[in-house]
Amino acid sequence: MIHPEHQRRAYLQAMGIDVWLPRGADEPGVSDVESGAFEAADLDWNELRQCVTDCTRCALASSRTQTVFGVGNPEASWMIIGEAPGAEEDRQGEPFVGRAGQMLNEMLRAIGQSRESVFIANILKCRPPNNRDPKPEEAAACRAYLQRQISLVGPDIILAVGKIAAQNLLQTDEPVGSMRGRQHDLDGVPLVVTYHPAYLLRSPSQKSKAWSDLCLANRLSVAAA
Ligand code: URA
């Protein structure tokens, strides 16, 4: 059950009304409420899914067909994080269902995983119009949802596919080429960066590097399990 006070604040916030709290009260700060960190951090899986479905935290709410929460095993040891839904994902409500999704499926099969065994999510839950890059404020508005997904899944390894996922998760502007091939840490969870499947479709010669990233992620997941 969502606590009625949390729900009230979420409604007020969705309507664009600031929620002010008494200084020093045993309550979350206004900035937490505004960032969504507070409301998402307490939610269970179903509540979180509902919150995402109803989300109006950024302007993408008005152009989406539907939200794309994520798919797979909610207790997966692998979590795959991409950028944002594209046209097909927006239509079907599932991440990575287009051509890039087929490529991702192949990558997963190569390491003995599948869409059902891992959990797949994106930095954004809504499609940016014309598949443009997510804006920083959109990624910030969505961050608490992904953070809560990561803490509920509790993965042994996170695979960030592509620049947008890696840069947003690690809060850096380093290029993928220099982030891939080594271990990162996201709040104690090992994280490996690799190329986005859409990029691998355009540049198949980079597949061997992606393969070595997957092997690294596999080793780290075994060590962390
Ligand atoms: N690309 C992504 O990063 N995510 C999707 O869900 C689909 C394509």
Side-chain angles (χ1 to χ4, degrees):
M1 270 293 289
I2 301 180
H3 189 285
E5 180 57 18
H6 295 194
Q7 198 163 39
R8 185 184 72 86
R9 288 189 204 148
Y11 285 143
L12 291 174
Q13 193 184 349
M15 289 187 290
I17 297 167
D18 280 343
V19 184
W20 295 96
L21 297 165
R23 188 185 296 271
D26 186 19
E27 291 281 3
V30 170
S31 60
D32 285 344
V33 173
E34 283 170 353
S35 74
F38 165 70
E39 75 199 59
D42 288 345
L43 303 182
D44 69 23
W45 203 245
N46 288 335
E47 291 165 345
L48 183 63
R49 189 184 284 278
Q50 192 58 50
C51 223
V52 168
T53 301
D54 298 340
C55 184
T56 55
R57 295 179 55 83
C58 81
L60 297 180
S62 58
S63 55
R64 71 183 178 220
T65 303
Q66 59 190 312
T67 55
V68 178
F69 181 74
V71 72
N73 176 1
E75 294 175 358
S77 68
W78 281 67
M79 206 159 165
I80 317 294
I81 302 181
E83 176 179 334
E88 202 50 43
E89 289 77 19
D90 175 70
R91 250 191 301 278
Q92 295 191 33
E94 188 171 323
F96 283 101
V97 289
R99 281 191 68 221
Q102 286 167 15
M103 182 73 221
L104 179 62
N105 294 348
E106 280 177 32
M107 292 163 72
L108 293 175
R109 199 170 47 232
I111 45 160
Q113 298 286 343
S114 66
R115 291 176 75 81
E116 294 73 35
S117 68
V118 304
F119 193 85
I120 307 174
N122 283 310
I123 296 294
L124 293 191
K125 308 294 185 222
C126 297
R127 181 194 181 205
N130 306 316
N131 298 342
R132 64 158 168 74
D133 283 354
K135 294 181 180 169
E137 62 270 26
E138 294 162 352
C142 231
R143 186 164 301 136
Y145 298 136
L146 183 58
Q147 274 170 348
R148 185 62 183 151
Q149 285 180 307
I150 294 171
S151 67
L152 285 169
V153 172
D156 296 320
I157 184 75
I158 294 175
L159 184 70
V161 297
K163 177 183 90 167
I164 300 289
Q167 292 186 342
N168 274 284
L169 287 167
L170 298 172
Q171 297 285 289
T172 174
D173 53 11
E174 255 189 83
V176 173
S178 71
M179 280 188 277
R180 61 155 295 278
R182 61 194 164 94
Q183 176 180 355
H184 301 265
D185 175 276
L186 185 69
D187 301 326
V189 183
L191 182 151
V192 168
V193 173
T194 195
Y195 293 116
H196 194 282
Y199 172 74
L200 295 175
L201 286 171
R202 294 192 302 273
S203 309
S205 63
Q206 302 299 310
K207 282 187 188 174
S208 58
K209 288 187 191 158
W211 171 241
S212 90
D213 297 333
L214 291 172
C215 292
L216 169 63
N218 209 15
R219 286 196 297 279
L220 294 173
S221 75
V222 169

